[in-house]
Amino acid sequence: MKFGDLADSHGFLLVAPDGTEQATGRNPRFWNASEACCNFAGSTVDDSGYVLAVIDEMKRLFTVDADRVYLVGHSNGGFMSYRAAHEHPNVIAAIVSLAGAAASEERGAPAAPVHVLQIHGTADETILFDGGDIGDVAYPGARESVERWARYNGCDREPSTRENALDLDGSVEGPETGVVRYASGCLDGGSAELWTIEGGGHTPRLSPAFTRHVVEWLLAHPRG
């Protein structure tokens, strides 16, 4: 996603950890993120704890603004971001999930609010925009994931909307992405937002503006 290109100009530290290699097949890497995705071999690896340990190590090595610790993940990484946010809400200020989803099961609200941004293409055939299942284990759709976190964060039920607000996918002509934002009435440090890429697939051809929009959204959403 080329976040490293903006690290100096926007003044942030960037860490890109890898998941565990599966012991079967072509040994793809995975995060043990949710019941649906993507621990297919039944590993007991604690990736939520690992993510927290990476954050703690960065705080030990560098001067870190504790109110601006963020996670960004694509697909399985998006699922992982949601899990870590739910389990470590006093550490993580905001997450961005590109083509991921919240937990399969409905959980109680986390101990503290977290800002959440879901980015998802309507033509995603891998993690379906409206939700689906992986190996008969259901996962929520993009809207449901965002609405769930809006409830967690105590936001008003009626969001604000903007159609064709952003140009995020270079394979779709013009501004194709609409914005649904739950930011009114929320608990301090919490909000929920959905950027819908009309016609976008699972791995969009990210426009030059994509990274800047995401980084600027994150920096504008510190922990409360």
Side-chain angles (χ1 to χ4, degrees), residues 122-142:
T122 58
D124 190 335
E125 297 181 352
T126 303
I127 304 298
L128 304 181
F129 181 85
D130 291 323
D133 67 87
I134 302 173
D136 295 326
V137 180
Y139 58 85

Side-chain angles (χ1 to χ4, degrees), residues 3-206:
F3 289 114
D5 294 349
L6 297 181
D8 289 338
S9 62
H10 287 68
F12 61 84
L13 297 161
L14 176 67
V15 187
D18 285 326
T20 305
E21 285 189 352
Q22 281 189 14
T24 58
R26 294 182 295 172
N27 308 116
R29 293 188 180 274
F30 73 97
W31 298 107
N32 185 9
S34 84
E35 293 297 319
C37 183
C38 288
N39 179 15
F40 302 131
S43 171
T44 59
V45 63
D46 179 10
D47 281 327
S48 180
Y50 169 63
V51 169
L52 180 62
V54 170
I55 294 169
D56 287 342
E57 182 70 357
M58 291 298 292
K59 289 179 176 179
R60 186 183 70 84
L61 295 173
F62 302 97
T63 301
V64 173
D65 183 349
D67 290 333
R68 284 185 165 84
V69 175
Y70 307 116
L71 299 182
V72 181
H74 172 241
S75 192
N76 185 202
F79 283 85
M80 189 67 242
S81 297
Y82 274 112
R83 177 170 184 171
H86 195 277
E87 296 182 357
H88 311 298
N90 290 306
V91 174
I92 297 165
I95 67 165
V96 177
S97 163
L98 172 61
S104 295
E105 70 280 5
E106 180 78 45
R107 298 178 173 183
V114 178
H115 299 288
V116 166
L117 170 58
Q118 174 72 26
I119 308 173
H120 215 124
T122 58
D124 190 335
E125 297 181 352
T126 303
I127 304 298
L128 304 181
F129 181 85
D130 291 323
D133 67 87
I134 302 173
D136 295 326
V137 180
Y139 58 85
R143 292 189 189 89
E144 184 180 349
S145 296
V146 170
E147 289 170 357
R148 181 186 302 178
W149 276 84
R151 293 195 300 273
Y152 288 164
N153 289 323
C155 304
D156 291 344
R157 295 182 63 180
E158 292 300 320
S160 63
T161 62
R162 289 189 300 150
E163 295 183 1
N164 301 328
L166 302 170
D167 183 4
L168 302 183
D169 190 338
S171 66
V172 181
E173 186 176 354
E176 76 297 304
T177 298
V179 174
V180 176
R181 178 177 296 130
Y182 293 86
S184 178
C186 306
L187 298 170
D188 189 25
S191 64
E193 199 158 327
L194 173 61
W195 293 359
T196 300
I197 305 175
E198 292 294 337
H202 186 62
T203 306
R205 183 158 64 85
L206 303 180

